[in-house]
Amino acid sequence: MDLAYLRAHPEHLPTFLTHQRIRETPVSGGDICATSRLTLDDGHSVFAKTWPERAGRPVPDGFFAAEAAGLRWLRDAGTVAVPEVLVALPELLALDWVEPGEPSPAAAERFGRELAGLHRAGAPAFGAEWAGFIGALPQDNTPDPGPWSAWFVRRRILPYLRMSVDGGALTAAETGVVEELADRIGEFGGDEPPARIHGDLWPGNLLWGADDRVRLIDPAAHGGHRETDLAQLALFGGAPHLDRIMAGYQETWPLADGWRERVPLHQLHLMLVHTALFGAAYRDAVGSAARAALRGAGRATVDR
């Protein structure tokens, strides 16, 4: 199997893998999927993701289709580099291989400008035309006209709060402060039309290429708020050269007043996803983000 054959017959890839007709090398790729590098007969490499069977749990319906749709939608904007989708089947996803490199200030600044361009490409509504996932969890992408603040609470905060509470990950204290934040969402300001966002842009979902360009991977793409992507880039130690990313972004499309105070609000969504997925280990992060957001609510409104 070479690249031309794979493009023409993507449905044959599982058969070739089953019969060991393609060299497969495991690579690191996150907590949800098994990932590998496939070397084709023409020497071309492909990045493949599959769903490991865990206690007999099958891959969720539409899981890889949602990621493929998001990657294509982000790529269609023609701004940020996104790996090409080569194969999207119910049981696997295969993308063009990107040779990894080291982060650099120049690549970071270029990425900031490109990310602004991606966001500016916009979306017809909040949500998306496909059913979504974030990690292994479903994400409600029902198209919604907004406003953003009400949509964000309804589709991105309360569903994962309920999952986290039902799973025993949060106490009454964290639950109460998140509910207070939801009730006061109108105090934060910052409503904007839907941007075209990655949706799960923690630093691990940036792929720094050997060609000194940053690519987006593993999206939970949808129409959302551009500040969400930027806030997530600051999580878990922050993206390399985050100051240069922000400088490139601000040069291209400056953020609205009060954006700094809203950072914890936008980070809260991903923290709740983590308590829903991984349990009480992220309990303190949820409480800290919600309390910080509430402290900043008044300042954000004043800055408008």
Side-chain angles (χ1 to χ4, degrees):
M1 175 178 277
D2 58 18
L3 183 60
Y5 185 92
L6 180 62
R7 289 185 189 278
H9 305 283
E11 71 279 4
H12 292 177
L13 183 56
T15 301
F16 276 74
L17 288 172
T18 298
H19 294 285
Q20 299 181 333
R21 298 283 299 276
I22 299 176
R23 186 170 50 156
E24 184 175 8
T25 307
V27 296
S28 60
D31 300 317
I32 305 299
C33 292
T35 55
S36 58
R37 179 176 185 171
L38 310 181
T39 304
L40 307 181
D41 290 339
D42 60 359
H44 197 96
S45 288
V46 171
F47 176 82
K49 298 175 68 170
T50 58
W51 178 271
E53 294 292 335
R54 297 184 180 88
R57 182 186 175 199
V59 58
D61 289 342
F63 180 78
F64 289 120
E67 182 171 347
L71 287 165
R72 288 168 174 146
W73 188 59
L74 298 176
R75 185 179 170 94
D76 285 348
T79 57
V80 180
V82 179
E84 180 186 359
V85 177
L86 300 174
V87 179
L89 299 173
E91 68 272 26
L92 69 84
L93 182 71
L95 313 175
D96 197 30
W97 177 263
V98 176
E99 197 63 36
E102 293 298 319
S104 73
E109 192 162 328
R110 176 179 178 176
F111 169 67
R113 294 192 296 268
E114 292 173 340
L115 184 63
L118 172 70
H119 290 163
R120 219 166 198 167
F126 295 102
E129 296 298 327
W130 56 88
F133 287 87
I134 185 161
L137 297 177
Q139 177 168 271
D140 187 351
N141 278 345
T142 303
D144 190 315
W148 167 78
S149 51
W151 167 84
F152 188 66
V153 166
R154 183 167 58 247
R155 308 290 189 192
R156 295 296 182 261
I157 297 296
L158 295 183
Y160 301 101
L161 175 64
R162 287 193 291 268
M163 291 182 204
S164 300
V165 171
D166 290 347
L170 299 179
T171 69
E174 293 87 31
T175 303
V177 73
V178 174
E179 290 175 337
E180 180 185 353
L181 180 149
D183 289 341
R184 295 174 57 187
I185 192 67
E187 298 178 27
F188 289 87
D191 276 2
E192 290 186 353
R196 187 172 305 210
I197 72 169
H198 178 284
D200 188 12
L201 200 57
W202 69 286
N205 284 341
L206 298 184
L207 177 54
W208 300 79
D211 59 356
D212 209 30
R213 194 170 184 196
V214 180
R215 286 163 178 81
L216 297 180
I217 57 173
D218 295 343
H222 61 277
H225 200 302
R226 60 191 179 126
E227 291 177 14
T228 299
D229 273 354
L230 296 167
Q232 291 174 350
L233 282 174
L235 287 169
F236 309 123
H241 309 296
L242 181 57
D243 60 332
R244 302 318 307 154
I245 294 174
M246 294 302 300
Y249 192 101
Q250 292 276 48
E251 175 187 304
T252 306
W253 190 15
L255 293 164
D257 290 343
W259 70 268
R260 290 180 179 84
E261 286 73 22
R262 289 188 292 270
V263 166
L265 170 65
H266 288 278
Q267 291 176 338
L268 180 60
H269 167 229
L270 203 53
M271 293 298 93
L272 286 167
V273 169
H274 276 67
T275 49
L277 269 173
F278 305 118
Y282 290 91
R283 175 184 295 163
D284 289 345
V286 165
S288 295
R291 284 188 289 271
L294 287 171
R295 287 195 297 271
R299 294 194 300 274
T301 304
V302 167
D303 287 344
R304 279 188 288 172

